[in-house]
Amino acid sequence: MAQSLSRKFYAVPPLLWAAIMLVLTLTPAQEMPRTPDWKLLAFDTAAHAGVFAVLAVLSWVALRQQRRWPALAQRAGIVVLIGCVLFGGLIEILQYLMAVGRQAEWSDLAGDSLGAVLALLLVGGGWHWWSRRRLATPALVLLLLLSSSLFFAPPARAQAPDLGRARRTIEALAAPKLHGRGYVQGGEHAAATYLRGRLRQLGLQPLAPDFTQPFTLDVNTFPGKMEFQLLIPTPRRLIPGSDFIASPESGAGHSPERYVAVPLDTLVFTDSTAWRQYLSPPALPNGGRPKPGPIAALVVRARDEARLAQLPPAMQQYIAQHPRFTLVPKLTASLASQQAATPHLEVLASSWPANLLTKPFTLQLDAELQHNYQTQNLAAFIRGSAQPDSFLVVSAHYDHLGMMGDKTYFPGANDNASGVALLLELAAHYARPENRPACSVVFLLFGAEEAGLVGSRYFVAHPLVPLPRIKFLVNLDLLGTGEEGATVVNGKVYEPAYQRLTALNDAHHYLPRLSARGRAANSDHFPFSEAGVPAFFLYTRGGSPAYHDVHDQPAALSLAGFAGAFGLVRDFLNDLGARP
């Protein structure tokens, strides 16, 4: 009877241990205890190996003790190893699928398997020795206690970003359901809703009701049809985003009948006779005027587009009254706050027929100028423990270019889902109790940056914290690469601060190299520095060349400099007063 009870006892620990592992797997990351920073071996690897070593030992003992399936008892080692690998795979899949902020890495599965193998090698050869000396049960208890210390180790400061979580943030913001985070189908509102949830999850305090600072803007959009077809030599439909885009100020255009695309005669830039012929076609021999033909669209090469402003006003007015196609080497979209009277397309030069002779085409283009469109900034902060009225600011814009027609959208993974992801990783760092900053740290997520820094200009005009109390602002934009280091805009303006940044990078080798730029109105730092707030704009270099196009997708980002940028900005903020 006692032996039967003993065998039943050995069946309980592996099931109980597996249940504990599953519970901890589903525990949100911010509720987990912090783990130590080991130098020679990653603590996470040791934890995985130790936990699965315990599971392997408990399972091996249970199979050896049971008598119902003798074959399993004889092959306990291989059965347990297969079971541990499968269970480890299940845990990684659950961490990947469940939104609990946990990092799922298949490299963890290697640690799981290694721990199981080492434990089985040890226990398989030594179990009989332990059993003869009646030390098996005390040994199992000791093993449980040792492995439990891996889960419940004394807190230590987490010093690295969660790259798996950062990549999932980028994927979420660049997903089709957010419609390019623009002004068609509520894309930027959907992005703001997602980010409010992330700020709440981190436990940050709002700087405005529901973290939201509303404002309005005018913006030209392309919400509906966008169909462009060349008719000769054979009909060919060009693809929005891949072959052409609408220029930001383009008006609508609908031609169920044929238009004719005519190359602009470049003599108009040097010969007044040439441009006068556009305005007054020559008379017919009988003294009459030619009958109007199909509506003409002008085809202009990119190198000539900027020269149009040099033409006489009458010729400029003529061009403004006609559709225009600009042939460009790369499609680069942007936004505008006004709308032209006629369509203006940018067409990839490689998608246009080789010769510039007259080309018939059809065009269906919907354009809508939205007035007083309501959008928002998001603002949160962590109150400082020693200097709550002194502020350091981390900013990033979350908006992007939205839709080009009703089917094509701009993902904006590097610009600027990557910067938002880094901001959230810094927020997660300072939100941990052991990392609570000495001065307050503000996290600003700006809207309408792509429309002309509208959100950051509005914040500076209507600040939620006193601008003179801001010690420094670090703006994060385009942080998805990093193979060639990073550039610091305003590095030549605030030279002592830049020298401090380079000293940190030299000491810790966070990024391959840093380069300084001067004053530039190219991101949301600019309104602040113009208002007297010291500010840097950090962006990484190298890697994917995609920018303001449909190719700026999460899969194209290496995140080569992401962890380095995190460490550099964290140390810089700590030196300025955020150090706990």
Side-chain angles (χ1 to χ4, degrees):
M1 182 68 177
Q3 187 177 8
S4 176
L5 288 174
S6 176
R7 289 174 183 161
K8 291 182 178 179
F9 165 77
Y10 282 112
V12 173
L15 296 176
L16 180 61
W17 189 246
I20 292 173
M21 293 169 67
L22 280 174
V23 169
L24 291 172
T25 295
L26 304 180
T27 301
Q30 67 271 20
E31 297 178 15
M32 290 291 291
R34 303 281 74 79
T35 56
D37 184 19
W38 290 1
K39 299 296 183 184
L40 299 180
L41 176 66
F43 178 87
D44 191 55
T45 300
H48 276 267
V51 168
F52 271 81
V54 174
L55 180 63
V57 170
L58 296 177
S59 302
W60 187 89
V61 171
L63 284 180
R64 295 283 293 180
Q65 290 296 306
Q66 59 85 27
R67 293 292 181 265
R68 180 172 297 181
W69 299 288
L72 290 181
Q74 293 175 1
R75 299 174 176 82
I78 188 64
V79 172
V80 169
L81 179 58
I82 293 173
C84 285
V85 172
L86 293 176
F87 187 60
L90 173 64
I91 285 177
E92 299 306 318
I93 291 172
L94 288 175
Q95 287 186 335
Y96 178 79
L97 294 177
M98 302 193 68
V100 291
R102 302 294 297 277
Q103 182 174 357
E105 295 289 347
W106 291 110
S107 59
D108 291 343
L109 186 57
D112 304 340
S113 304
L114 179 62
V117 168
L118 293 177
L120 290 171
L121 288 174
L122 177 64
V123 75
W127 178 254
H128 294 296
W129 186 87
W130 288 94
S131 296
R132 285 197 299 271
R133 287 158 179 77
R134 297 183 179 180
L135 295 174
T137 299
L140 290 175
V141 172
L142 179 61
L143 188 58
L144 282 169
L145 291 175
L146 289 174
S147 62
S148 297
S149 68
L150 292 174
F151 274 134
F152 304 107
R157 290 175 187 164
Q159 298 297 323
D162 186 333
L163 289 179
R165 179 174 60 194
R167 190 167 286 280
R168 291 192 294 275
T169 299
I170 294 170
E171 290 170 351
L173 288 170
K177 66 180 181 181
L178 264 59
H179 309 295
R181 308 191 302 281
Y183 310 97
V184 174
Q185 300 185 38
E188 50 78 38
H189 288 304
T193 298
Y194 166 78
L195 291 169
R196 287 189 196 96
R198 292 292 301 275
L199 296 174
R200 293 190 191 97
Q201 185 183 42
L202 291 172
L204 273 59
Q205 300 180 54
L207 266 177
D210 200 24
F211 301 98
T212 303
Q213 183 187 42
F215 63 92
T216 61
L217 77 157
D218 295 343
V219 60
N220 195 33
T221 63
F222 306 99
K225 289 184 178 181
M226 185 169 287
E227 300 174 359
F228 183 32
Q229 182 173 236
L230 297 175
L231 300 179
I232 60 171
T234 58
R236 182 164 70 93
R237 187 179 298 275
L238 301 187
I239 301 172
S242 298
D243 295 319
F244 77 99
I245 57 175
S247 293
E249 80 292 346
S250 174
H254 297 276
S255 63
E257 300 180 357
R258 303 199 314 178
Y259 280 76
V260 174
V262 179
L264 179 69
D265 187 352
T266 55
L267 286 176
V268 298
F269 297 111
T270 57
D271 186 348
S272 61
T273 303
W275 63 260
R276 286 194 177 94
Q277 287 181 349
Y278 281 93
L279 304 181
S280 301
L284 296 174
N286 60 7
R289 293 291 177 181
K291 294 181 179 179
I295 300 176
L298 298 176
V299 181
V300 182
R301 292 191 181 276
R303 62 174 177 264
D304 296 323
E305 180 73 21
R307 302 172 66 191
L308 298 180
Q310 303 172 10
L311 293 172
M315 185 61 187
Q316 290 188 42
Q317 183 178 4
Y318 174 87
I319 291 173
Q321 293 171 348
H322 287 75
R324 185 163 85 256
F325 304 153
T326 303
L327 305 185
V328 296
K330 178 192 176 300
L331 299 178
T332 302
S334 58
L335 299 174
S337 59
Q338 67 278 334
Q339 184 181 102
T342 56
H344 179 196
L345 303 184
E346 296 178 18
V347 184
L348 197 63
S350 59
S351 297
W352 192 260
N355 62 70
L356 289 181
L357 298 178
T358 300
K359 303 294 180 186
F361 67 92
T362 61
L363 176 67
Q364 297 286 335
L365 173 61
D366 290 337
E368 180 181 352
L369 178 60
Q370 300 202 45
H371 295 283
N372 297 317
Y373 182 97
Q374 182 159 315
T375 184
Q376 62 279 310
N377 297 321
L378 302 179
F381 77 110
I382 299 170
R383 189 178 301 278
S385 59
Q387 298 175 301
D389 294 329
S390 184
F391 301 95
L392 292 168
V393 178
V394 181
S395 67
H397 77 89
Y398 69 90
D399 68 300
H400 196 51
L401 300 169
M403 304 285 292
M404 187 62 64
D406 56 2
K407 295 182 177 64
T408 301
Y409 81 103
F410 296 96
N414 196 29
D415 186 13
N416 184 37
S418 64
V420 173
L422 186 53
L423 179 147
L424 291 174
E425 290 302 308
L426 288 164
H429 173 79
Y430 287 114
R432 297 182 181 108
E434 66 273 14
N435 293 332
R436 183 181 175 187
C439 65
S440 295
V441 180
V442 176
F443 299 93
L444 300 179
L445 291 160
F446 291 120
E449 189 266 1
E450 303 289 11
L453 314 182
V454 181
S456 51
R457 293 183 191 277
Y458 185 86
F459 185 96
V460 168
H462 307 84
L464 299 177
V465 297
L467 296 183
R469 295 291 184 92
I470 298 177
K471 300 172 69 174
F472 215 96
L473 177 143
V474 179
N475 183 53
L476 306 173
D477 200 347
L478 304 167
L479 272 300
T481 61
E483 290 86 348
E484 299 176 10
T487 296
V488 183
V489 177
N490 275 353
K492 293 182 178 180
V493 177
Y494 304 102
E495 292 186 357
Y498 179 71
Q499 291 170 1
R500 178 180 299 181
L501 201 66
T502 55
L504 290 170
N505 195 56
D506 291 343
H508 300 284
H509 308 289
Y510 286 128
L511 294 167
R513 56 186 170 274
L514 294 179
S515 300
R517 281 184 61 176
R519 174 177 174 269
N522 53 356
S523 194
D524 287 315
H525 67 287
F526 185 73
F528 287 87
S529 58
E530 292 297 288
V533 177
F536 281 159
F537 161 30
L538 181 72
Y539 65 89
T540 53
R541 303 190 307 271
S544 171
Y547 176 73
H548 279 214
D549 56 37
V550 296
H551 307 296
D552 184 11
Q553 301 185 23
L557 301 186
S558 65
L559 299 188
F562 193 91
F566 172 93
L568 182 62
V569 174
R570 177 203 60 211
D571 289 359
F572 182 68
L573 295 175
N574 285 347
D575 281 1
L576 290 175
R579 190 181 307 278

